[in-house]
Amino acid sequence: MKTNKKAIVIYNPGAGKRRKHRHVPAMIGNLANLGFDITTYHIKNFAQLEEPVTMACRHNVHSIFIFGGDGTVNRCIQCISKESYRPKIGIIPLGTSNEFAKYLGMPTKLVDVLPIIHRQNIKSIDIGKIGNHYFANIAAAGWLTDITYKTSPILKSWLGELAYCLSFFKSFLFTKQTNVITITLPQKKILCELSLFLIMNGNSVGPFDRLIDCMNRDDGHFHLITLQKTNKFSLFFTLLLKMLHLPDRRTIFEYQAIRSIDISFTDLLPFNLDGEQAHINSLNFEVLQGHLNVYTLK
């Protein structure tokens, strides 16, 4: 069948649980049957994906299909977002949490992803930028925000999201809260002595599928959630209520919609960008509205 839709596949065979990977060859074959002229790249480390993704953008390919987890997606987005031409992005979720795929409403069963691509259901989405780094779903720093990239890949492979739960409890019980973060909002409002913060495109993270009680936004705003230093057990009770979707009148977390903020640390802290560690010197955040085009159920 003649086709004029050139596309590349970035496949990370080390992502997530092994059992999903047996479907990958058939998925790639089915993409070809949908009319895509596919070139596939198997990556053993994230450094290997930069060249094919960048060249795909500069050669104006129709689509980039990412077979992997949030880390693979994040590294691809770093390359795509800085280019003037940005191909359509299809996420085939193979990772442990697949937070960005969840935000897009993509199915967890790989076979259910194909009809979405076949229908060419494409949507422009906002992404965030901090310094010269990009993220599609979540940026965070401070206490407990290093769990995703410090959790053992072997545990993630065997236990899935349960591995993150075990790492969470270990950090929660045996690490101290940071108290070094200051955020300056527009109108010069200052939030200081923060233990952690999250900047979110959607309103869920990990097991908290409704961390804030509002719909996803498409108006150029992200969600900022901040936590000041507090009693650990009070925090644990609040998180438990959030997980169970039960009301809680306490105001341990502060929430606001944002377009831009400035962040400062007493000491340089690593960022968590879509589950991956990043060290960022310029701490200005802004929303890039409608910056990427993605295949999505929503």
Side-chain angles (χ1 to χ4, degrees):
M1 179 174 62
K2 187 177 179 179
T3 178
N4 60 359
K5 294 188 294 186
K6 290 190 177 296
I8 69 167
V9 163
I10 297 295
Y11 170 46
N12 180 2
K17 288 188 174 182
R18 302 282 82 80
R19 59 183 174 81
K20 278 192 173 184
H21 290 258
R22 67 178 184 268
H23 302 293
V24 169
M27 283 286 295
I28 295 174
N30 287 329
L31 287 174
N33 292 336
L34 293 179
F36 292 100
D37 181 6
I38 297 288
T39 302
T40 301
Y41 297 90
H42 291 67
I43 62 163
K44 295 181 180 179
N45 58 70
F46 290 144
Q48 293 179 329
L49 63 77
E50 183 173 353
E51 182 178 358
V53 171
T54 299
M55 294 308 296
C57 295
R58 295 180 183 176
H59 287 115
N60 292 8
V61 305
H62 181 276
S63 298
I64 295 176
F65 297 105
I66 305 170
F67 286 65
D70 290 315
T72 314
V73 172
N74 177 267
R75 295 303 180 96
C76 288
I77 285 175
Q78 299 304 317
C79 301
I80 297 168
S81 297
K82 60 188 178 184
E83 298 295 328
S84 56
Y85 172 80
R86 297 177 291 277
K88 299 168 181 63
I89 300 172
I91 309 298
I92 291 77
L94 297 177
T96 305
S97 291
N98 303 301
E99 295 289 347
F100 185 48
K102 291 177 186 175
Y103 168 68
L104 296 177
M106 296 297 281
T108 55
K109 292 183 178 179
L110 299 189
V111 68
D112 294 333
V113 175
L114 284 170
I116 296 171
I117 296 171
H118 180 60
R119 292 195 300 268
Q120 293 285 298
N121 191 13
I122 296 163
K123 177 182 178 181
S124 294
I125 64 163
D126 305 337
I127 65 168
K129 184 180 183 184
I130 295 180
N132 62 346
H133 287 68
Y134 303 88
F135 67 98
N137 194 37
I138 295 173
W143 185 51
L144 301 176
T145 61
D146 58 358
I147 289 169
T148 54
Y149 57 80
K150 284 191 173 179
T151 300
S152 163
I154 297 174
L155 278 180
K156 289 192 291 184
S157 176
W158 284 97
L159 300 178
E161 287 192 291
L162 179 58
Y164 290 139
C165 294
L166 296 176
S167 294
F168 169 83
F169 283 111
K170 179 181 177 181
S171 294
F172 185 87
L173 293 173
F174 300 111
T175 64
K176 294 182 179 180
Q177 299 180 59
T178 51
N179 189 18
V180 294
I181 304 170
T182 299
I183 292 177
T184 303
L185 300 167
Q187 291 82 48
K188 303 301 181 182
K189 180 180 178 181
I190 297 176
L191 307 176
C192 57
E193 297 185 349
L194 302 177
S195 251
L196 66 88
F197 71 89
L198 300 165
I199 302 172
M200 303 170 62
N201 203 352
N203 65 353
S204 67
V205 56
F208 307 99
D209 60 353
R210 291 200 305 271
L211 190 57
I212 49 180
D213 297 322
C214 63
M215 299 297 291
N216 295 342
R217 307 178 72 101
D218 296 310
D219 59 358
H221 287 85
F222 273 41
H223 309 300
L224 172 66
I225 298 174
T226 56
L227 172 71
Q228 289 192 314
K229 192 171 183 178
T230 187
N231 179 277
K232 283 187 178 183
F233 295 100
S234 180
L235 172 61
F236 180 80
F237 186 69
T238 296
L239 292 175
L240 183 62
L241 292 177
K242 283 287 184 183
M243 190 182 298
L244 298 175
H245 308 305
L246 297 175
D248 183 12
R249 295 182 179 180
R250 292 171 298 174
T251 56
I252 291 177
F253 291 101
E254 186 171 347
Y255 158 76
Q256 43 230 306
I258 57 170
R259 290 180 185 269
S260 63
I261 59 172
D262 293 317
I263 307 160
S264 60
F265 301 146
T266 302
D267 300 306
L268 186 61
L269 291 177
F271 264 81
N272 182 326
L273 297 184
D274 291 338
E276 290 297 302
Q277 184 178 20
H279 292 278
I280 304 171
N281 292 322
S282 176
L283 299 179
N284 313 93
F285 163 78
E286 62 176 320
V287 177
L288 302 180
Q289 194 166 2
H291 196 69
L292 297 180
N293 295 308
V294 298
Y295 292 89
T296 175
L297 184 63
K298 295 183 179 180

